[in-house]
Amino acid sequence: MSSQVKLVRDLMTVGVPTCTTETPVVDLARMLLEQGWEAVVVLDGMEGHALGVISQDELIHAYIHSEGRNQIAGEIMRDGVPQVPPDIPLVAAAQLMQDLKVRTLFLMHHAGGIEYPAAMISYKHLLRQLAADNEAELRDLGIRAERQTPLEMFIQRRDAARDKNRNY
């Protein structure tokens, strides 16, 4: 692998899983398991402003204290969103995760008075980089990664919603 210092933007995932404050905790647990996510950002349902984060830690805490079955995201979220700029070394981001005791950091975007998540980096990203034998193994990550077009994403989400509705 290259000896060049890698930055957060070289490994981050553009696009962040989100939910609203009203999302049932049971649904969040299912989404994290099915999608392999570390955390989701909780958005204000009205404006889309980022309010907090729910990670696996918050879900387990909810499980311990009430089995989480009847709770919603707004009741268990951690206030605030742990943030990182895209242009710091990965080692610095890893140290920040350790210092904040979080497994995911988010790159936030500010527009029209609203702050929302644009990208993320997690322990999983760092472990993939550590284990990679070559750069090709990481080509799906970072700012240069190939991504679906907005239309492709819409079709994928629409089809997933249709499939979910058929199962009920």
Side-chain angles (χ1 to χ4, degrees), residues 3 18 20 25 37 58 73 84 90-91 94 124 129 146 150 165 168:
S3 62
T18 61
T20 69
V25 168
W37 298 334
E58 284 76 34
V84 65
L90 290 172
V91 172
K124 189 182 291 188
Q129 200 261 342
E146 290 184 25
N165 288 334
Y168 286 110

Side-chain angles (χ1 to χ4, degrees), residues 61-82:
H61 183 79
Y63 176 78
I64 290 168
H65 293 302
S66 69
E67 295 190 19
R69 303 288 299 162
N70 298 316
Q71 292 180 295
I72 58 174
E75 295 171 339
I76 70 162
M77 74 178 187
R78 177 189 306 191
D79 290 334
V81 179

Side-chain angles (χ1 to χ4, degrees), residues 97-167:
M97 287 180 202
Q98 292 277 295
D99 293 347
L100 295 174
K101 296 180 177 32
V102 297
R103 294 170 53 112
T104 307
L105 296 171
F106 299 91
L107 290 84
M108 303 301 285
H109 185 73
H110 306 270
I114 297 174
E115 179 181 53
Y116 60 91
M120 65 182 178
I121 189 159
S122 70
Y123 274 11
K124 189 182 291 188
H125 293 86
L126 299 172
L127 293 174
R128 280 191 57 194
Q129 200 261 342
L130 178 65
D133 288 328
N134 56 58
E135 294 294 324
E137 292 181 30
L138 304 172
R139 84 177 75 175
D140 62 317
L141 298 175
I143 199 157
R144 292 183 190 90
E146 290 184 25
R147 287 183 263 295
Q148 291 180 314
T149 66
L151 179 59
E152 291 168 330
M153 288 189 311
F154 167 77
I155 292 169
Q156 183 179 17
R157 288 181 181 155
R158 180 200 64 198
D159 292 348
R162 285 179 177 167
D163 290 344
K164 184 178 179 181
N165 288 334
R166 283 186 205 129
N167 294 330

